[in-house]
Amino acid sequence: MAQTLNYLTENGLLDYHDLKKKAQQAEARCNALASAVKATEAKLAENAVLQTHILNYIKTREVYAAYRQSGYSKKFLAEHEGEIALHKAAKKAFDELGLKKLPTIKTLRTEYAALLTEKKQTYAEYRQARDEMRQLLKAKANVELLLGIDDKPMEHEKHGDREQR
C-alpha cells in the first residue's frame, strides 16, 4: 500500500476518478498498440509468403514452359510434378491477390525490412505502455481494496438472477 501511495503521489493521481480515467486510457493505448503489432506481423507474413511464391514462380517458369510445349504430356508431368505444382500454386496465389505485375524481390525485401523496423518500434512502445497499464491497474486495484470500492458488477447477483428464474 505504501508503494501504491508513493506511486499515486508521484504521478498526481490522488483523485480516484483521475486514476480510473488514466487506467482506462492506458488500457486503451496498450490494446491499440497490440493491435498495431498484430497488423504489422500479418503484413510481414503476407510479404514473406509473396516472396516465396515469386521465388517458386521464377525457379519453375522454365519447367512449366517446357511442360506447355510438350502439349501437357503426362510423362513430362510425372517427371516434374513437384515443380509444376509449385508453379501452379504460385500462379493461383497471384490470381487470388489480383496481381497483374509481380513486384520485385528487392522491393519486397525492402518493404519487409521497413515493416520489421516498424514492428520493433511499435513493440517497444507496447511493452512500455503495458508496463504503465499494469502499474496503473495494480494501483487502482489497491485503492479499490483500501476504499472498499467494487467497480465491477457483482457475480453473485448475476447467479442469483439465474436461480430465481
Side-chain angles (χ1 to χ4, degrees):
M1 287 299 180
Q3 288 177 339
T4 299
L5 184 59
N6 286 339
Y7 175 78
L8 295 174
T9 305
E10 289 171 3
N11 292 291
L13 296 170
L14 294 176
D15 182 18
Y16 174 73
H17 297 292
D18 290 343
L19 174 62
K20 184 177 176 181
K21 183 178 177 182
K22 183 114 175 172
Q24 288 172 342
Q25 290 171 344
E27 199 168 4
R29 181 170 183 261
C30 186
N31 290 337
L33 288 169
S35 295
V37 168
K38 288 179 185 175
T40 304
E41 286 174 344
K43 289 178 188 175
L44 284 167
E46 290 172 11
N47 184 303
V49 168
L50 185 56
Q51 283 186 47
T52 302
H53 284 305
I54 290 173
L55 288 172
N56 287 341
Y57 182 81
I58 291 168
K59 288 177 185 176
T60 60
R61 185 176 20 201
E62 292 176 12
V63 173
Y64 192 77
Y67 173 58
R68 283 193 347 217
Q69 287 177 348
S70 73
Y72 299 102
S73 164
K74 290 183 181 182
K75 180 182 175 189
F76 191 89
L77 176 63
E79 292 173 4
H80 303 281
E81 190 171 351
E83 294 167 307
I84 292 171
L86 282 175
H87 189 83
K88 286 182 178 181
K91 283 189 67 113
K92 183 179 177 185
F94 301 149
D95 291 342
E96 288 173 357
L97 292 172
L99 295 175
K100 301 294 181 201
K101 184 179 179 194
L102 297 179
T104 64
I105 292 293
K106 184 178 180 181
T107 304
L108 288 174
R109 287 184 178 156
T110 303
E111 182 182 322
Y112 189 89
L115 286 169
L116 194 57
T117 302
E118 178 186 335
K119 178 191 168 199
K120 287 179 182 178
Q121 290 172 345
T122 306
Y123 194 73
E125 286 179 50
Y126 165 74
R127 281 194 312 267
Q128 185 178 8
R130 182 190 62 201
D131 292 343
E132 180 184 344
M133 178 194 70
R134 285 180 178 168
Q135 206 166 18
L136 282 165
L137 290 176
K138 185 177 176 182
K140 182 178 168 255
N142 287 341
V143 168
E144 289 171 351
L145 180 67
L146 183 66
L147 298 177
I149 298 172
D150 191 11
D151 208 19
K152 296 174 181 63
M154 299 178 108
E155 289 296 318
H156 59 78
E157 287 181 7
K158 288 181 183 179
H159 294 298
D161 290 344
R162 289 184 194 147
E163 290 174 6
Q164 291 176 1
R165 291 182 191 166

